[in-house]
Amino acid sequence: MNETGNKMLKYQVDGPEDAPVLVLGPSLGTTWHMWDRQIPELSQHWRIFRYDLPGHGGAPAHPAAAVSDLSDRLLATLDSVGVQRFGYVGCSIGGAVGADLALRHPHRVAALALVAASPRFGTADEFRRRGVIVRSNGLEPIARTSPERWFTSGFAAAQPAIVEWAVQMVRTTDPGCYIAACEALAAFDIRTELPRIGVPTLVLVGAEDEVTGPAEARNLVAGIPDARLALVPGASHLAPVEQPAAVTDLLLMHFSTTWQDTLASIPVPASPPPGFAAPFAPVAPIAELTAAAHLPESSTTGRSDRYDRGMKVRREVLGDAHVDAATAGSDGFTDDFQELLTRYAWGEIWSREGLDRRSRSCVSLTAVVASGHLGGLAQHVRAALRNGLTPVEIKEVLLQTAVYCGIPAAGAAFEIAQSVIQEETTPPT
């Protein structure tokens, strides 16, 4: 085990030193121990390199707010130990890292397995709201509900020790790093880039996964040119924990039959890994499917860069639901105003580097109260929570407005803000 510097990830290595390297990436809220039951068999064939996400499992708490940042840190860590080319398995956000590596560094990845993954994880609003809940309540609400997201009900009832282990993994995660990972997943969307993934890919999903289920897996298979789908019955999101033997067999089959085929076809900037380990008798996958889902096509609106930048920032700050409602209600009379708002307010002012988004939210809250335009206050309170302000900080901003803008305006603002904060920070039941 080793950990070095802000740019490095904490890691664990198992298996023979002269075998090819297989990297295992974890899911959000877990540690490398989620792969413990795969190690005995996988390490007979490969040198297994497992890593922890920042702030997870005691790893240094240096938040990474983009999937590409996690990928870069992983490559820096692999470079530090002399690993140039490797196979990669990733679960959930770990799968996002693997897909990003295959897109941006295809010469480094020999073969890929995406477990409980998706080209886009839910909606940006869902993950930003999860960040608001953690910022306001800590990780306890997330920890308590993790078992129902990760495991089938039958497994959770039969394995209370594993359920408690899962809850403790989340409880011991650094909240700031968890929130940053939520932001990374909120921004992750490779739906239109899937055809550029050029390595053999296994897409593995639990049949009962309600987080990133079979539909998302089929989208991956439909978009990646050389991909197969393996469906694991009796498993939910953390299939490697719930059905370890099945997942191990599928990984053994995939990497034993695809890795060698790709070594000569993809350019390698450095020496390839040592010779492939002795083959084993493949185990038939539990279920293997093909899919023919349709992927969204690239946007060709022809809008200016300023408009596109503004729409991106507007959605990040206000949320997809609000922006979709505003644009859906637009018509020939108001279209120009919506474009002006997006291009100028969001593409120009909110995109400037002079203030961070927290500061701009403070200014916006104050300006809305001072101008008496309280009809727009609720959306700016939601935006402030998404931009990182806590309920206590929003309260301080409104107290400040009471002094300079008047008690009646501030009183009305407190009522609106109280309702929004309660709605946004209350964990789902």
Side-chain angles (χ1 to χ4, degrees):
M1 187 174 66
N2 189 24
E3 52 186 85
T4 52
N6 293 14
K7 300 280 184 188
M8 304 294 177
L9 299 175
K10 190 178 77 167
Y11 64 88
Q12 168 75 37
V13 179
D14 300 277
E17 294 184 5
D18 60 347
V21 172
L22 182 61
V23 178
L24 306 184
S27 177
L28 175 61
T30 73
T31 72
W32 65 47
H33 290 294
M34 67 162 283
W35 298 106
D36 279 354
R37 297 176 76 179
Q38 279 71 48
I39 299 304
E41 289 193 57
L42 294 184
S43 62
Q44 294 180 35
H45 305 275
W46 298 284
R47 182 116 168 117
I48 305 301
F49 181 105
R50 290 181 284 171
Y51 66 91
D52 273 337
L53 298 169
H56 289 59
H62 303 300
V67 169
S68 58
D69 188 1
L70 289 171
S71 302
D72 291 343
R73 294 190 197 187
L74 175 58
L75 285 185
T77 308
L78 291 168
D79 289 344
S80 73
V81 294
V83 175
Q84 286 296 314
R85 189 168 170 78
F86 49 86
Y88 186 93
V89 184
C91 182
S92 193
I93 193 173
V97 170
D100 182 69
L101 288 170
L103 286 167
R104 296 195 300 125
H105 304 278
H107 56 279
R108 302 291 295 268
V109 182
L112 180 65
L114 305 177
V115 180
S118 175
R120 184 188 187 193
F121 291 81
T123 67
D125 286 353
E126 292 170 8
F127 281 100
R128 293 198 172 101
R129 180 156 188 252
R130 192 187 298 187
V132 168
I133 289 172
V134 173
R135 194 177 290 114
S136 305
N137 302 278
L139 276 165
E140 183 58 28
I142 306 296
R144 271 199 322 270
T145 57
S146 289
E148 63 193 56
R149 293 194 304 273
W150 288 353
F151 308 121
T152 61
S153 57
F155 180 86
Q159 300 288 345
I162 292 180
V163 168
E164 180 58 25
W165 161 80
V167 169
Q168 287 302 323
M169 274 196 300
V170 180
R171 280 181 178 149
T172 56
T173 298
D174 176 77
C177 289
Y178 190 96
I179 292 169
C182 288
E183 289 292 329
L185 288 173
F188 183 78
D189 186 353
I190 58 168
R191 288 175 293 174
T192 60
E193 299 180 66
L194 293 177
R196 294 199 298 109
I197 295 180
V199 297
T201 303
L202 173 69
V203 178
L204 191 155
V205 63
E208 299 182 50
D209 188 348
E210 296 182 0
V211 180
T212 49
E216 287 85 352
R218 291 187 178 98
N219 285 336
L220 287 168
V221 172
I224 299 172
D226 186 6
R228 297 180 304 129
L229 175 60
L231 197 67
V232 181
S236 185
H237 194 59
L238 288 192
V241 176
E242 194 163 6
Q243 295 291 345
V247 171
T248 301
D249 289 346
L250 287 163
L251 294 177
L252 285 168
M253 166 176 273
H254 175 65
F255 286 101
S256 70
T257 57
T258 61
W259 194 326
Q260 283 181 309
D261 294 340
T262 64
L263 286 177
S265 62
I266 301 177
V268 184
S271 299
F276 186 71
F280 73 104
V283 180
I286 296 172
E288 214 172 310
L289 308 171
T290 57
H294 295 286
L295 296 176
E297 298 188 3
S298 301
S299 172
T300 55
T301 60
R303 307 271 192 168
S304 68
D305 290 343
R306 189 180 302 164
Y307 178 91
D308 293 339
R309 179 174 67 243
M311 182 57 76
K312 179 176 182 293
V313 174
R314 188 180 180 186
R315 288 185 177 279
E316 289 173 354
V317 173
L318 298 180
D320 288 335
H322 175 85
V323 177
D324 288 343
T327 54
S330 182
D331 56 20
F333 185 73
T334 58
D335 280 346
D336 289 344
F337 174 73
Q338 287 294 326
E339 180 162 351
L340 173 68
L341 182 65
T342 301
R343 179 166 42 84
Y344 182 66
W346 298 101
E348 281 279 351
I349 303 304
W350 272 88
S351 297
R352 292 174 64 87
E353 296 181 357
L355 292 175
D356 61 22
R357 290 186 185 177
R358 284 170 47 88
S359 301
R360 292 190 186 279
S361 277
C362 290
V363 173
S364 298
L365 290 171
T366 304
V368 168
V369 176
S371 64
H373 297 147
L374 296 182
L377 182 62
Q379 73 186 54
H380 283 287
V381 172
R382 288 190 180 89
L385 290 168
R386 293 168 187 273
N387 287 338
L389 289 178
T390 65
V392 171
E393 290 171 326
I394 292 173
K395 176 180 71 175
E396 292 300 322
V397 170
L398 296 182
L399 286 172
Q400 191 82 1
T401 65
V403 175
Y404 292 96
C405 304
I407 297 295
F414 263 104
E415 287 186 18
I416 295 169
Q418 181 184 39
S419 175
V420 172
I421 289 170
Q422 183 174 2
E423 177 187 342
E424 291 292 314
T425 62
T426 301
T429 55

